[in-house]
Amino acid sequence: MKLITTAIDYTNGAPHIGHAYEKVLADVLTRYERFAGREVYFLTGVDQHGQKVQQNAEKEGVHPATYSNRVTKGFIKLWDKLDVKYDGWASTTDQRHITCVQAILQKLYDDGQLYKESHKGFYSIRQEQFLTDRDRNDEGEFGPEWGEVEEVEEENWYFKLSDHIEWLRNHVETHPDFVFPQFRRQELLNALERSDKGDLCISRPKSRLRWGIELPFDTDFVTYVWFDALTNYISFAGYQAAENADLPVFEKLWSNTTHIIGKDILVPPHGIYWPIMLHAIGFSDDDMPRLLVHGWWNIRGEKMSKSLGNVVDPDQLADTFGADGLRYYLMRDISTGGDSDFSPERIIMRFNSDLANDFGNLANRTLNMTKRYRGGVLNCGDYDDELCLDVRQVAEQTRKDYTDAMNGDLPHLALEHVWKLIVRANKFVEQTAPFTLAKEESESAKLDAVLYHLVEVIAEVSLLIAPVMPQAAANLQDQLRLTPEQRTTLLSDMAWGLLPTGHETGKPKPLFPRLQLEEETEG
Ligand code: MSP
């Protein structure tokens, strides 16, 4: 079994396009695993504790739980709308998670991995961490990215991170697959080179932060939000869970785990803290997860932020482009690992040109012609020629290229390959001109073959795009009248000839009606 997780989203504000990208990516890779015939479990959720949630709740005069639960509902509603189908939901206020975090803290304490110390320094409220001189900018100041910074002196609990840094460096060096893409692994190695070998402050005094998980051995403190949040990956996978906890069996789930995260949370949380936490509680090298680090969606090269007022709302986009339209754009216009610029012009362009024109038209005219010329009934017949052969070869190559791309976590490339087949099939229509063939009785066998090839291509495409556009795939499969067995064909069983002679296609209906939005969205 494979476990795929995403980062759990902070519940201190509404979800934006970056959150949506990560969830859709995880959902697409999960659906792909199933299509490839492999067992998979998809875990996602929300990070509900921490100072920002406490502050926002205070501003509204409500309890942090009330605030956080309200924001959580917004995330759940959006994932529903975007067809993000997870198997497990992690919410850090869940008692099963709290029990697991406290058990881990207690174990580290019992093992002598934690110590208490007083520390005076500058603390960033936004990032919820102490800063060092290295965090100062060229002017010697703490830049705006740190938000409000205050000087504090307080006692806290520290985790002996430094004891494990050498182990981690060795692990990253000897496990090339630990981080994908490779340049991010290098970034982690560089960070480990520079590491000041400091320990990790894992507590916050309750006088400053109440909204967190209490340390079981010192109740004046709650634990640092990252220590709490990272643990979700194992607590909700059933790590040391009670038998009646209604969680998966950990041993079945953990051996092949991929954490999908954004580039901002590789160093230090996922690249340093998390493997070290696992190592310290006894996970072996073979039990270390893999990190799939994606890039960021920016707006005209700039970071999205509430203060810049350039936050893109995925909910509105889904209203305009449909869940599938948005999912397609998010998967097609970024290459996994790299950054991309969100632009309204590009999403419209992708929708109209790739979905409405290339794919939608191919599907619609294929089904229309089959209905008009053959009453919807397919006949693969004996006719063959070079053009038909070429279409079959492109279809076969597409299956191979698609498989390689998806196995490499590169949905944008997989889609690019599928579109080569779509473009080839559209050209095939121009080359064979079925509308002319239909006029000549003597071309009847050729027309049968042409229609068969076209229908077979769109049936194959419906299977290949299903992980990215589940609704459009199902809609097209309804129009094609695929049987339940045909719809659930595994990738490895796909071969030319999915549809037999005599198969009858249904009524065509446009999949992606063209959008006329340029004037409303430009500028
Ligand atoms: N709560 C932490 C993660 C804890 S995981 C144990 C967190 N939350 S977040 O809400 O700020 O971010 C959630 C995810 O969204 C992160 O992986 C982050 O990288 C990703 N993104 C946030 N903004 C993004 C973009 N603009 N583009 C793409 N993904 C981005 O960090």
Side-chain angles (χ1 to χ4, degrees), residues 6 12 17 20 37 71 84 105 111 114 131 139 145 182 209 214 231 294 300 304 330 370 396 425 468 473 480 485:
T6 69
N12 61 350
I17 193 89
V71 177
V84 170
L105 285 164
D111 289 351
L114 305 180
L131 304 177
E139 285 79 50
E145 70 274 22
Q182 282 302 317
L209 176 67
E214 199 173 74
T231 306
H294 63 74
R300 297 184 214 289
M304 246 186 299
L330 289 176
T370 311
E396 191 180 338
V468 176
L480 282 162
E485 292 74 38

Side-chain angles (χ1 to χ4, degrees), residues 384-427:
D384 205 4
D385 63 16
E386 289 289 309
L387 288 177
C388 291
L389 178 66
D390 187 53
V391 167
R392 295 199 300 277
Q393 281 171 345
V394 174
E396 191 180 338
Q397 192 58 45
T398 300
R399 288 194 293 272
K400 283 188 193 139
D401 293 341
Y402 170 95
T403 308
D404 289 347
M406 288 303 284
N407 285 344
D409 299 321
L410 301 169
H412 74 285
L413 200 57
L415 289 169
E416 205 177 299
H417 290 305
V418 174
W419 255 252
K420 277 190 200 146
L421 175 59
I422 290 173
V423 168
R424 179 67 195 90
N426 273 323
K427 191 168 155 215

Side-chain angles (χ1 to χ4, degrees), residues 434-446:
F435 13 89
T436 315
L437 297 178
K439 291 183 191 139
E440 303 289 335
E441 191 46 46
S442 58
E443 299 282 22
S444 180
K446 183 169 178 185

Side-chain angles (χ1 to χ4, degrees), residues 101-113:
V101 171
Q102 289 184 327
I104 291 174
L105 285 164
Q106 187 67 48
K107 176 174 168 49
L108 292 175
Y109 176 80
D110 293 343
D111 289 351
Q113 297 264 344

Side-chain angles (χ1 to χ4, degrees), residues 460-491:
E460 286 206 12
V461 168
S462 81
L463 295 173
L464 297 176
I465 59 153
V468 176
M469 293 185 281
Q471 284 178 24
N475 185 349
L476 179 54
Q477 289 167 1
D478 286 346
Q479 298 182 33
L480 282 162
R481 292 217 186 118
L482 296 196
T483 62
E485 292 74 38
Q486 287 163 340
R487 287 168 197 244
T488 48
T489 308
L490 292 181
L491 178 59

